[in-house]
Amino acid sequence: KTIRGRVSLIPGVVTVGTSSVGVMRGSGLATTVEPAGQRITPADFLNASENDVSPEYFDTMGMRIVVGRDFVASDAPAPKQKTPVSVIVNQAFVRRFFPDPEPLGKLFGRGGLEGQVARADCEIVGVVSDSRYRSLRAPVLPIVYSLQTDFDQFVVNVRTRTPPEAIIEPVRKTLA
């Protein structure tokens, strides 16, 4: 069984999601994003956050899909995939990069260098509600979420129906 599957069997656990970056840690992963076909400028440098997440992540974190859909198994990137990767972005991302009425299907590049024309690396399949990422005091930033099913390093996120502190030790034992 997967770690998520084992943790989900702990009494009181409602959902379990994993992510490459934990929230409220004062830091995170940043990337440079620009709509496909547009030239990357110095002002675009590290203008969005990113997080690789498991399929249950949004439910676990209490976030809702406001447009489009959640991830499905076929969204997991394949090795050497040539087509755009399916991603979910937050509402702040849409306001910043695609303020027109329909963000679904929009293509953008990430990780490009200044002066390059952004490639069509990512395709938006869903938009999730805004949430705080790095800290409660920081403004809501544009975020790109990619589906990841196999993590080298990860954060386990757990939603419980019991006091969260009651779950910490059982989760630790399960991970051990």
Side-chain angles (χ1 to χ4, degrees):
K1 278 193 149 192
T2 67
I3 289 174
R4 287 189 316 271
R6 286 187 221 139
V7 171
S8 71
L9 297 175
I10 297 171
V13 170
V14 177
T15 60
V16 180
T18 49
S19 59
S20 59
V21 177
V23 297
M24 300 301 137
R25 295 193 173 191
S27 64
L29 295 176
T31 189
T32 300
V33 170
E34 191 65 38
Q38 292 189 16
R39 191 162 305 281
I40 299 168
T41 70
D44 299 318
F45 185 67
L46 299 181
N47 58 4
S49 294
E50 62 183 340
N51 202 351
D52 295 335
V53 300
S54 70
E56 305 83 8
Y57 180 79
F58 300 121
D59 284 341
T60 302
M61 300 305 284
M63 300 164 72
R64 70 188 196 304
I65 302 291
V66 294
V67 176
R69 62 173 176 82
D70 203 340
F71 287 121
V72 294
S74 61
D75 290 330
K80 299 182 182 179
Q81 181 173 341
K82 299 214 189 260
T83 59
V85 174
S86 296
V87 297
I88 294 175
V89 298
N90 68 346
Q91 293 168 302
F93 185 99
V94 171
R95 284 189 301 274
R96 164 70 171 82
F97 298 104
F98 298 106
D100 55 5
E102 183 54 59
L104 298 181
K106 297 291 190 212
L107 300 171
F108 65 91
R110 79 178 149 181
L113 301 174
E114 180 184 332
Q116 288 182 330
V117 173
R119 299 180 312 264
D121 296 333
C122 303
E123 179 180 2
I124 300 172
V125 298
V127 177
V128 71
S129 57
D130 283 337
S131 63
R132 300 288 177 189
Y133 181 66
R134 296 174 192 243
S135 84
L136 291 174
R137 293 185 181 115
V140 174
L141 302 172
I143 304 175
V144 178
Y145 297 95
S146 300
L147 178 62
Q148 182 72 314
T149 56
D150 187 24
F151 291 88
D152 291 333
Q153 296 180 352
F154 57 91
V155 175
V156 176
N157 305 279
V158 180
R159 177 172 290 278
T160 72
R161 63 173 92 38
T162 60
E165 56 274 4
I167 300 295
I168 294 171
E169 196 53 37
V171 169
R172 280 188 182 140
K173 286 181 181 176
T174 300
L175 292 175

